[in-house]
Amino acid sequence: MISLVQRFWGRVSNDKRALFVGYVLLFVALAFLPFLLSLTVGRMWVRILDFALIYAMLALGLNIVVGFAGLLDLGYIAFYAVGAYTWALLASPQFGLHLPFWAVLPIGAAVAALFGLLLGAPTLRLRGDYLAIVTLGFGEIIRIFLNNLDHPVNVTNGPIGINKIDPISIGGADFTRAHEVFGITFSGVHIYYYVLLALLFLTVVVCVRLERSRIGRAWVAIREDELAAQAMGINTRNIKLLAFALGASFGGVAGGLFASLQGFVSPESFGLLESIMVLCMVVLGGMGHVYGVLLGALLLTTLPEILRSTASPIQRALFGDVYVDPEALRMLLFGLALILVMLVRPTGLWPSPKRKKTLDISVTKG
Amino acid sequence: MDIFAQQVLNGLVLGSVYALVALGYTMVYGILGLINFAHGEVVMIGAMVALAVVLFLTSVSPGLSPFLVIIFAGILAILVCMALAFFIERLAYRPLRNAPRLAPLITAIGISILLQNLAMIIWGRKYKTVPEIFPKETFELYGASITTVQIFIIAISAAIMAGLLVIVHFTKLGRAMRATSESQRVAGLMGINVNKIISVTFMIGAALAAIAGILVAANYSVAHYSMGFMLGLKAFTAAVLGGIGNLGGAVLGGLLLGLIESIGAGYIGDLTGGFLGSHYQDVFAFVVLIIVLVFRPTGIMGERVSERA
């Protein structure tokens, strides 16, 4: 057995060996990150990390629509909402349904994909900013319905939201509770971290494979020039609808996970600002580049939290008292950061090398 | 009939404000092809600055004529907003003029977040009540009641829109603006200072936004640091509805959106047999927008864009 591994190891090139060692190190680092965080800065940060992973999934889904296919979607959070409410309705005391997670998650993805088609079908003819405003309207419509569908028939519980949503559980082991494995106690957020990490890994793999597939190349072709893509024999209608549906299903899965982790959903979490945030993650990270988008999502979810925990102490340290509303200060700095990053790196922090090339040529005023 | 007249009137008042703000969006879009997401915040800053000036003047010299107070507040608000727009364009949009299309969108969002929170730091989180400088009188008109403020809103927006159309269509500046929106490069070759024209466009839009902000604050008697966001969004929707980049379209879209919203809110309950209440006002507006765009993908008055430039 060992000799077999040695023989295989001997045959691969040095580059691949280095890459392999790198992956192993990354894997180990990611596995121990929550321990490190809860020991140094507190368990709250593991929870923040969980949300960062969910948002990363969401951003990767939007990246399919905006980054790959070039369809500007300002209402993407609607699919997140649909996924979250699907989970909330099928696994909570709201209707007394308690379906297991392996059933709810695919249903959520499917329902979100359906909504993606619902949005995509009437908007196929729209271009650029017209599409943006319609998607924005779509997102608002979904939110308003969630907010008001408590009468005449109570479906969503209105602005109060749905409570006591079932977490992911296997064989009666509830994942949001602490469990002891091999003498180590894992808190709920810690267990969720591994679940989310595994799912995010899967998402990344799917995205990378998609990008290189026939479909992914068709999306890029449509993004760069729809007419030429059509002339090359691409069925632009189906390919665009596929982008909407697939992007939406990613959002649906992320939404379901959000609902199960939080245990509570309300329309408040699905406003326009959230849509814009996800778009910022995609654009700031590097539109169309899977790893760039990951970076953008992780930065934009953790930065406000870092600012939140430092806004008051720093003021107190510098001026002896809290003069400026820390909440406002943190968002102000966040806005400033968005502007500065875009000014310094207009193509995003980590743009795709291929995309950069095409962008340089296609820059024209509309 | 009375309710209908009242809703139409409310719609016209709301629509006039939407139209004023929408003009700012559409002018910038026409020239730069950019959604100026921060425009709504300029409206808010205009309202807040005017309110601050009014409060200051009325507390310093209570005997001052209300007419002078409002003129002074208005002028200062317009100047502040114009300066603001000038710097926004200069710092956040101009460096990105040749960048990928979504980069300036993100800086616009950044500016919007920045201004909102700056306003929150300066003026606080609470809703601020706008004092009644002029006594509010109510008139009867075709069975609908209208206040002096509402009459003022409709009159002043109509005058401003007419003035803007005159500027754009009959002055040298307007011709330069139209040329720049056709092609910046060629306009530059014709001796037009393109950067200056773009700055001026932003500043005119900001002046309209400041006036709209004052009118809204006067109408609802309240101002708040977050008032610009939804208003800006609606105005942008109006601009798209009318055909973005088209001045007449922005006015038409604004009025139409105002009417749809207020009539829709008044009758949606009856139309759906009480199933949907007036909470669905915004749904109504967006559904109309989607339907219009499905049949006319470039808005009501928008030009049809050819596939290739």
Side-chain angles (χ1 to χ4, degrees), chain A residues 14-38:
Chain A
N14 274 335
D15 284 2
K16 281 203 174 147
R17 274 188 221 175
L19 206 64
F20 180 75
V21 172
Y23 278 133
V24 169
L25 285 179
L26 185 70
F27 180 78
V28 172
L30 284 175
F32 281 100
L33 188 59
F35 290 108
L36 189 71
L37 283 178
S38 45

Side-chain angles (χ1 to χ4, degrees), chain A residues 122 125 127 129-130 133-134 137 144 148 152 225 276 283 287 324-325 327-328 331-332 342-343 363 365, chain B residues 29 31 98 101-102 109 113-114 117 121 125 181 236 240 244 275 279-280 282 293-294 297-298 307-308:
Chain A
R125 284 169 69 203
R127 273 156 197 287
D129 300 316
Y130 287 94
I133 193 75
V134 168
I144 294 167
N148 292 299
D225 191 329
I276 288 177
V283 179
M287 208 167 44
V324 183
D325 185 345
E327 186 63 18
M331 285 316 283
L332 189 129
M342 272 348 268
L343 287 181
V363 168
K365 201 222 120 202
Chain B
Y29 192 92
I31 286 196
N98 292 319
R101 206 169 56 91
L102 286 186
I109 290 165
I113 295 175
L114 189 85
N117 288 284
I121 289 172
R125 285 166 183 274
S181 78
F236 179 61
V240 172
I244 193 155
F275 183 72
H279 317 286
Y280 289 94
D282 290 346
L293 287 186
V294 164
T298 51
E307 292 282 315
R308 292 314 274 145

Side-chain angles (χ1 to χ4, degrees), chain A residues 201-364:
Chain A
F201 178 72
L202 196 70
T203 315
V204 170
V205 170
V206 169
C207 280
V208 170
R209 300 300 300 168
L210 262 178
E211 191 184 2
R212 294 179 192 156
S213 71
R214 196 183 160 87
I215 297 168
R217 280 177 283 133
W219 282 332
V220 173
I222 289 178
R223 177 186 80 200
E224 298 301 331
D225 191 329
E226 194 172 335
L227 207 62
Q230 208 164 11
M232 289 294 131
I234 292 171
N235 184 335
T236 52
R237 186 196 61 197
N238 289 0
I239 292 289
K240 273 163 99 173
L241 282 179
L242 189 65
F244 272 118
L246 215 57
S249 67
F250 280 49
V253 170
L257 293 169
F258 167 74
S260 75
L261 172 62
Q262 182 106 322
F264 161 76
V265 289
S266 76
E268 214 176 279
S269 321
F270 309 109
L272 176 62
L273 202 65
E274 275 70 26
S275 280
I276 288 177
M277 273 306 160
V278 183
L279 183 70
C280 286
M281 291 170 193
V282 173
V283 179
L284 197 92
M287 208 167 44
H289 188 217
V290 172
Y291 301 112
V293 171
L294 268 182
L295 177 72
L298 294 179
L299 274 183
L300 288 199
T301 38
T302 47
L303 180 65
E305 299 301 329
I306 293 171
L307 289 174
R308 189 205 298 279
S309 57
T310 51
S312 317
I314 284 186
Q315 279 188 63
R316 212 167 274 134
L318 287 179
F319 311 111
D321 202 357
V322 179
Y323 286 109
V324 183
D325 185 345
E327 186 63 18
L329 184 66
R330 133 186 126 95
M331 285 316 283
L332 189 129
L333 291 174
F334 181 71
L336 206 62
L338 279 186
I339 300 167
L340 289 179
V341 169
M342 272 348 268
L343 287 181
V344 178
R345 295 191 70 91
T347 48
L349 285 170
W350 191 4
S352 135
K354 219 188 298 172
R355 179 162 174 88
K356 194 166 173 288
K357 228 182 280 165
T358 49
L359 271 172
D360 287 343
I361 310 163
S362 67
V363 168
T364 44

Side-chain angles (χ1 to χ4, degrees), chain B residues 105-125:
Chain B
L105 186 72
I106 302 297
T107 51
I109 290 165
I111 294 271
S112 174
I113 295 175
L114 189 85
L115 287 179
Q116 234 184 73
N117 288 284
L118 199 64
M120 187 156 102
I121 289 172
I122 298 175
W123 288 291
R125 285 166 183 274

Side-chain angles (χ1 to χ4, degrees), chain A residues 184-198:
Chain A
I184 309 166
T185 316
F186 290 92
S187 61
V189 281
H190 199 146
I191 300 171
Y192 250 90
Y193 170 79
Y194 291 127
V195 174
L196 292 171
L197 198 63

